[in-house]
Every structure is written in structure tokens, then in C-alpha cells.
Amino acid sequence: HVQLVESGGDLVQPGGSLRLSCAASGIIFRLYNMAWYRQAPGKQRELVAVITSGGSPNYVDYVKGRFTISRDNAKKEVYLQMNSLKPEDTAVYYCNGAILAQNFWGQGTQVTVSS
């Protein structure tokens, strides 16, 4: 069965960095567009970054220049490097894999940015 397992969430001070990882199994990973979403308390889940099956990244404006999405097809993993973290980046971060009508989610990993 399909599994997306996130890791790397933590408590970090403003200005700090974290690297999130998402390990996939049960899918032909290289064919999937992979993305990171986040959901803050009381807010809707929102897209953060996406990387296509061909390796092209795209970011929402509020993380451009701070976050970097990447993938390793051999390891079936996708990463989110987050730098210059702000308190407003605090959220549960979810990994997503999508192709055509298929859409899979991980369980999420908590990122808390606070002093």
C-alpha cells in the first residue's frame, strides 16, 4: 500500500533552519509530482512548494528565497529545506504525491518556530 512518511519537524528559533524529509513507498515515485503543504492552527491547508516529476520546483511567494524543495528518485524521497524561519511558518507540514487522479498524503510533521 501507499505510504508517505514525513520527518524532520522540530522546535526552532526564528531565523533558524530545518530540513523536512518525506519517504515514499508503494508508488512509482519518479512519475509523481511531489509537494509540501502546511496547515496552521485554525487555518486551511495551503500549498508551500511543489516539484514536478521532471524536477522543476515552484514555490508560493511567501517562501521564495527561503525554502528549497528537492527530490531523490533513487531514494524515493522529497525534501524541504527551510531557512530563515519565521513564527508564521509554524504549522503541521504535509507531504503530498499526485499523478492524474491519484493523490496521497502523509501524516504530517510539526514545525514550531518560537523563541
Side-chain angles (χ1 to χ4, degrees), residues 76-110:
K76 295 186 178 182
E77 294 185 350
V78 61
Y79 311 102
L80 186 68
Q81 177 67 43
M82 304 186 294
N83 299 327
S84 303
L85 283 162
K86 305 175 181 180
E88 52 263 43
D89 294 318
T90 295
V92 178
Y93 283 72
Y94 296 91
C95 178
N96 171 269
I99 182 172
L100 299 177
Q102 294 185 344
N103 199 11
F104 300 107
W105 294 92
Q107 83 289 348
T109 186
Q110 176 70 48

Side-chain angles (χ1 to χ4, degrees), residues 47-48 58-66 86:
L47 177 67
V48 174
N58 282 285
Y59 305 91
V60 295
D61 286 345
Y62 45 82
V63 305
K64 281 182 180 177
R66 299 191 298 126
K86 305 175 181 180

Side-chain angles (χ1 to χ4, degrees), residues 12-92:
V12 63
Q13 291 188 342
S17 298
L18 279 177
R19 186 190 194 218
L20 305 184
S21 299
C22 171
S25 60
I27 60 173
I28 305 175
F29 181 81
R30 60 181 172 82
L31 298 181
Y32 280 69
N33 297 323
M34 301 300 297
W36 287 96
Y37 287 73
R38 69 186 185 187
Q39 187 167 18
K43 295 188 176 181
Q44 289 188 331
R45 192 172 298 188
E46 60 183 12
L47 177 67
V48 174
V50 61
I51 186 166
T52 68
S53 58
S56 298
N58 282 285
Y59 305 91
V60 295
D61 286 345
Y62 45 82
V63 305
K64 281 182 180 177
R66 299 191 298 126
F67 291 10
T68 302
I69 189 170
S70 61
R71 64 190 295 159
D72 186 330
N73 288 342
K75 293 183 177 180
K76 295 186 178 182
E77 294 185 350
V78 61
Y79 311 102
L80 186 68
Q81 177 67 43
M82 304 186 294
N83 299 327
S84 303
L85 283 162
K86 305 175 181 180
E88 52 263 43
D89 294 318
T90 295
V92 178

